[in-house]
Amino acid sequence: MTSATAHNGTEPTIVFPKQWKRRHLLDLESLTAEEITILLDVAQQLKEITQNCRRKVPLLTGKTCANLFFENSTRTRNSFSLAAKRLGADTVEFNSSGSSVAKGETFVDTAKTIEAMGVDWVVTRHGTPGTPHLLARELGCSVLNAGDGPHDHPTQGLLDMLTVRQHRGSIAGLTVALVGDIAHSRTARSNIWGLSKLGAHVIICGPPTLVSPRWTELGFEVAHHLDDILPRCDVLNLLRIQFERQRARPFPSVHEYAALYAMNGERMRKAKDDILIMAPGPINRGVEITPEVADGPHSVILEQVNNGIAVRMAALWLLAGANDRN
Ligand code: CP
């Protein structure tokens, strides 16, 4: 577990950081700046060792990763699966639809059943905040949060930060705006905690109906008009409007939303020349971002996807190392 052999046989290429002690990755709020930096450093190393996350290294051979997804996913599920396979581990793919959940089995019993098949990590996505924390208490293996309702999505926050760091070298001192449906966004929360711990100035921007006053009370800058903050931003992270989590309509129509918050060609001309345009995905073209911006030269959306594999390889490797040492 302490070092990797690269695909071309040279070694060692990565050394386990002794400071890393965590067995679970549940949120970014509870991580220290040092722990976040370790995760990003290891992700960068693994990305290079695996040649942009395409080659295998036998770091986790003989281990098994179970993906327990109770909500839909394209990016997170597939990149956790690929991350495990790139490091030589096996995977178990659990889908709540078609499972014994329909017969009344509880969430914890389902997870314990999968764990009993001999898994080393459970990766869980669920619509209820706190479900990964519950599993971390109930299971013996490592638990990774792949998104718990609107609460947290730590690997998304990490892959966003890794992408920013690759382009800017450092996160400290940058002005990063999270724009859109803050109220329902686990990505927003992970980014707010992670970026602020690493020294970025975070601006939380969205309609008053989708931004809690709590953020102002906590000392964050809050804005309700993208045009007011745009010229100051180094990075924009454009969040999807999560209609599926909303009980009441937070604005009259998507046309009103897009008029105030969509990143489009006209707004790009008012932004910094080197602005980074990010989105966690899935994107709604024409709502929070227009196609010319999503597919334009400032967009790093697909780089974020590739970095998702790197960050998830790092998380699996670090948690397994902490488990093996305990
Ligand atoms: N960003 C993100 O979590 O995407 P998925 O829902 O496709 O996993």
Side-chain angles (χ1 to χ4, degrees):
M1 276 304 304
T2 53
S3 66
T5 304
H7 70 281
N8 61 6
T10 58
E11 62 178 307
T13 51
I14 184 166
V15 175
F16 193 88
K18 288 194 195 85
Q19 315 93 298
W20 186 268
K21 307 285 183 210
R22 281 187 192 262
R23 293 179 52 245
H24 307 291
L25 180 60
L26 304 177
D27 52 55
L28 288 194
E29 187 174 2
S30 61
L31 263 60
T32 64
E34 183 188 30
E35 287 172 317
I36 293 171
T37 303
I38 289 173
L39 275 156
L40 298 181
D41 289 347
V42 169
Q44 186 63 41
Q45 290 175 74
L46 288 173
K47 181 170 170 128
E48 288 162 17
I49 292 166
T50 57
Q51 299 190 340
N52 251 0
C53 307
R54 290 180 188 279
R55 303 289 181 120
K56 282 192 173 188
V57 288
L59 275 173
L60 296 173
T61 307
K63 295 190 181 291
T64 302
C65 177
N67 283 326
L68 264 68
F69 277 57
F70 291 79
E71 280 190 341
N72 296 339
S73 171
T74 297
R75 282 146 284 269
T76 312
R77 179 183 201 120
N78 289 308
S79 67
F80 261 116
S81 188
L82 270 178
K85 287 173 182 160
R86 292 287 188 264
L87 298 182
D90 297 316
T91 59
V92 176
E93 301 295 337
F94 169 88
N95 282 310
S96 56
S97 64
S99 76
S100 290
V101 169
K103 301 175 194 168
E105 191 161 60
T106 68
F107 172 65
V108 170
D109 282 338
T110 299
K112 284 184 171 175
T113 300
I114 299 291
E115 185 189 29
M117 296 179 189
V119 308
D120 300 281
W121 312 266
V122 163
V123 177
T124 177
R125 170 171 287 191
H126 200 285
T128 303
T131 42
H133 304 71
L134 172 65
L135 287 192
R137 290 194 297 274
E138 295 284 345
L139 304 184
C141 67
S142 289
V143 176
L144 296 98
N145 182 2
D148 58 331
H151 174 230
D152 217 307
H153 192 352
T155 54
Q156 181 68 48
L158 290 164
L159 74 88
D160 291 344
M161 287 188 280
L162 183 64
T163 308
V164 172
R165 212 175 71 159
Q166 285 166 356
H167 280 268
R168 294 298 153 83
S170 167
I171 285 169
L174 295 177
T175 296
V176 183
L178 299 154
V179 183
D181 186 352
I182 307 297
H184 302 97
S185 175
R186 49 199 176 206
T187 294
R189 256 162 282 284
S190 293
N191 269 272
I192 289 166
W193 299 126
L195 288 164
S196 55
K197 281 170 200 257
L198 294 197
H201 176 66
V202 178
I203 306 177
I204 298 166
C205 178
T209 47
L210 292 174
V211 181
S212 166
R214 174 175 167 257
W215 294 115
T216 307
E217 289 160 21
L218 287 171
F220 288 95
E221 180 178 352
V222 169
H224 297 304
H225 292 95
L226 177 55
D227 292 326
D228 291 347
I229 58 162
L230 183 56
R232 285 195 281 136
C233 293
D234 298 299
V235 181
L236 286 187
N237 200 336
L238 303 164
L239 308 170
R240 183 175 66 88
I241 299 296
Q242 300 192 34
F243 292 107
E244 73 276 17
R245 297 194 202 276
Q246 293 167 4
R247 270 175 255 148
R249 188 174 274 275
F251 40 77
S253 76
V254 292
H255 301 292
E256 276 84 12
Y257 179 82
L260 281 172
Y261 300 102
M263 200 56 195
N264 54 29
E266 193 184 333
R267 288 202 165 99
M268 282 302 292
R269 286 186 278 283
K270 297 175 189 159
K272 286 189 177 179
D273 289 343
D274 59 352
I275 191 166
L276 285 188
I277 300 294
M278 307 179 72
I283 60 172
N284 286 148
R285 290 172 182 264
V287 181
E288 71 272 10
I289 190 167
T290 58
E292 67 182 308
V293 178
D295 304 326
H298 294 265
S299 168
V300 292
I301 295 171
L302 294 179
E303 291 176 40
Q304 291 172 258
V305 174
N306 184 264
N307 281 331
I309 305 174
V311 154
R312 288 161 186 139
M313 285 193 292
L316 293 171
W317 183 66
L318 287 166
L319 300 186
N323 252 340
D324 288 352
R325 280 166 173 72
N326 284 334

